Amino acid sequence: MAVVQRVGQGLGLTWTVLGSDWRVVEPAETYLEFLRDEQRSPHTVKAYAHGLAAYWSFLEATDGDWRAATPATIGTFLARLRDGDAAGRVIPLPAAVDRDGPSPATVSLRLRTVMSFYRFWAANDGVPVAGLLYEQVIGRPGPYRPFLDHLARKSGRLRSRVRVRPDIRRPPVFTPEQVTLIVDAAAVWDVHERRWTGNLRNRLLWSLLAETGLRLGEALSLQHRDWRSGHGDTASIEVVSRPHPLGVRTKSGPRRVYIGAELDRLYADYVWLLCDGGIDSEVADLDGAYVFCNLDREPVYGPLSPSTVYEHVRAIKRRERSLPAAWTPHWFRHTHATALLLAGVEPIVVSRRLGHASVETTLNTYAWVTADAEMRTVANWRAWTAGWGAASA
C-alpha cells in the first residue's frame, strides 16, 4: 500500500509518495516536483500527494500499469474511493450501507489529482493514456462568459471523460451574531479599567479575517510594513507574496485591501500592547516583524503558526457551544464574500478583494447568493459592511 511521506525541505516541509516497497514512486515524485517548481503551496503538494498515494495503492492492489490506464480504470478507482478503500481488491456486494466513505469533495479532489498527473505525463513523455481520458468540447461551464468567449468556442477545451458530480453545497457562513461572538470570545473592552481584557492579538486576527476576507495564510504572512494606517485617507493592508519561515503561503498574487477605521484603531491598540511588552527592544526591524506573533511561547515575537491558531479555535468551540461545530477560520472568508454580495457590492470588486484569479471563480462559488432573497432577512448586511471600506479592491 502506498503512503505519503513528509520530507524536510530547506526551512519548510514537503511531501512525497512511497510505494509498498518503501521506495519513492518516481512518476508521482516527478509530478510533485513539477508542482514545487510551479511554486504551488505546500498544502496543494500535500493534497496531491495523498491523491497519488491512493491511486498507487489502487494500482498495486489490482496489479495495474499506470501507463496503460483507461477511463474504465479511473472509474473503478473512483468506485473504490467512494467505498472508502482504494486498495481493496474486491468491492463488497452489496455495498456496506453503514460504511462512511470520503466526501464528494474529497473524491473530486482525488480525481483532479490523477487527471492532472496524466496531463503532465502526456505533455512531457507522450504517455498516450491522456488522449483516452480527455475529450474536446465547445463551450464553458458555469454562468460566466469571458469577453472573447466567441473565439474560445472555435478551438474548444479539454474535458475529462471521467467526472464526479459536483458538490453543490453552499460555502458555510457565519451570521453577524456568530462573528461578534467569536471576536468577543478573544478580547473585550473593559469600560471601567479602560483597557482590553483577553487576547487582543486573537481579536485582531478574527476581526481582520471577517472584514477583509483574507485567507489565514495571508493574514499570518502580514508584516507591520504591510499595514498602511489611515492618516486622512482610507487605511489599507498590502498582501505580499514572500518566503515565510514556517512555510505559510499567500496563494494569491499581491493586492491592496482597504479596511475601516475601527479595525485600524484596533491594530493601533495591538501595536501599543506589543511596544508596552518590549517588542521594540527585542526586535531589531519592527517593520519587518510579523503582525501576528507569539506572545506567550518561544520564540517570543516569532511568527504565529497556523497550529497555534487552530488551538484557539478548539478552545472557542469548547467554550461557545452555540457556534457551528465544524467552523474553521476559512468560514470568515466565505462570510465576507457573502455579506458583500448581499450588500450589493459588484462581483468584480468582491473578486479583486478576495484575490480570485478571475470573477468567474467568485460567480461560480457564490452564484447562489444573488438569487437567495431569504438571506437578506437574516440581518442588515448593508449596515454590517458599511465600515469595511469595501468600495475599493
Side-chain angles (χ1 to χ4, degrees):
M1 180 176 178
V3 296
V4 175
Q5 176 63 49
R6 186 174 61 177
V7 182
Q9 184 185 48
L11 295 176
L13 294 172
T14 189
W15 286 263
T16 191
V17 179
L18 303 181
S20 57
D21 57 358
W22 298 106
R23 294 183 179 181
V24 173
V25 178
E26 291 297 338
E29 173 58 23
T30 301
Y31 174 63
L32 294 175
E33 183 62 22
F34 165 73
L35 296 181
R36 299 184 197 107
D37 292 340
E38 288 259 295
Q39 296 185 338
R40 301 292 185 90
S41 74
H43 295 293
T44 299
V45 175
K46 181 180 180 181
Y48 276 47
H50 278 282
L52 291 175
Y55 184 57
W56 236 259
S57 297
F58 163 74
L59 292 176
E60 291 177 345
T62 56
D63 299 321
D65 180 1
W66 73 275
R67 288 180 173 270
T70 65
T73 305
I74 306 301
T76 304
F77 169 61
L78 288 178
R80 301 286 179 87
L81 279 179
R82 292 191 180 100
D83 185 59
D85 185 9
R89 290 184 177 273
V90 178
I91 298 178
L93 295 175
V97 296
D98 58 342
R99 185 176 187 177
D100 292 331
S103 67
T106 299
V107 173
S108 179
L109 175 60
R110 299 289 184 260
L111 174 63
R112 291 200 306 272
T113 298
V114 173
M115 300 301 285
S116 179
F117 166 80
Y118 276 119
R119 288 190 67 174
F120 166 80
W121 278 107
N124 286 272
D125 198 33
V127 176
V129 66
L132 302 174
L133 299 178
Y134 287 89
E135 59 184 348
Q136 196 82 9
V137 298
I138 303 298
R140 297 178 60 88
Y144 175 74
R145 293 291 182 270
F147 177 67
L148 299 179
D149 183 56
H150 61 290
L151 298 179
R153 287 177 177 272
K154 295 182 179 180
S155 58
R157 61 183 177 84
L158 288 177
R159 183 176 68 184
S160 170
R161 295 181 185 271
V162 184
R163 297 185 294 277
V164 176
R165 185 180 297 276
D167 186 1
I168 58 176
R169 291 179 298 176
R170 299 172 177 176
V173 298
F174 295 117
T175 65
E177 293 77 16
Q178 289 171 336
V179 173
T180 301
L181 183 62
I182 294 173
V183 170
D184 287 346
V188 294
W189 177 257
D190 190 322
V191 294
H192 300 292
E193 298 288 337
R194 299 192 60 79
R195 63 182 180 87
W196 291 101
T197 60
N199 192 316
L200 185 58
R201 178 201 62 196
N202 289 352
R203 183 183 178 94
L204 178 64
L205 176 61
W206 304 138
S207 300
L208 177 69
L209 295 181
E211 183 165 329
T212 62
L214 262 63
R215 301 176 179 89
L216 179 61
E218 293 172 337
L220 297 183
S221 297
L222 287 175
Q223 297 179 353
H224 287 284
R225 61 165 60 101
D226 302 326
W227 197 294
R228 311 293 177 83
S229 291
H231 299 286
D233 56 359
T234 305
S236 65
I237 58 175
E238 300 287 336
V239 178
V240 181
S241 299
R242 60 167 68 94
H244 191 282
L246 299 179
V248 176
R249 301 288 292 270
T250 58
K251 190 174 182 179
S252 300
R255 67 185 188 279
R256 176 176 295 181
V257 180
Y258 290 94
I259 59 176
E262 184 176 349
L263 181 60
D264 194 31
R265 285 193 296 269
L266 186 64
Y267 168 72
D269 290 346
Y270 172 65
V271 172
W272 179 264
L273 175 69
L274 293 178
C275 292
D276 191 47
I279 189 175
D280 51 337
S281 60
E282 296 290 336
V283 177
D285 179 16
L286 186 56
D287 282 343
Y290 288 92
V291 172
F292 299 101
C293 59
N294 296 325
L295 299 178
D296 53 8
R297 65 174 61 184
E298 296 293 334
V300 177
Y301 303 128
L304 188 67
S305 71
S307 60
T308 302
V309 175
Y310 279 94
E311 287 179 12
H312 291 290
V313 170
R314 289 190 290 270
I316 294 175
K317 288 181 178 180
R318 289 191 297 267
R319 190 164 63 249
E320 304 293 345
R321 298 290 183 176
S322 62
L323 293 170
W327 77 269
T328 70
H330 203 71
W331 282 35
F332 285 104
R333 182 172 173 84
H334 293 315
T335 302
H336 182 79
T338 300
L340 289 181
L341 291 170
L342 287 174
V345 179
E346 291 295 328
I348 184 62
V349 176
V350 178
S351 178
R352 292 171 58 193
R353 189 170 176 89
L354 295 178
H356 282 162
S358 70
V359 69
E360 178 182 6
T361 302
T362 309
L363 290 173
N364 288 342
T365 305
Y366 304 103
W368 62 273
V369 173
T370 55
D372 194 343
E374 182 180 353
M375 282 291 292
R376 296 179 184 273
T377 65
V378 173
N380 188 344
W381 291 97
R382 186 177 297 277
W384 194 53
T385 60
W388 284 2
S392 302

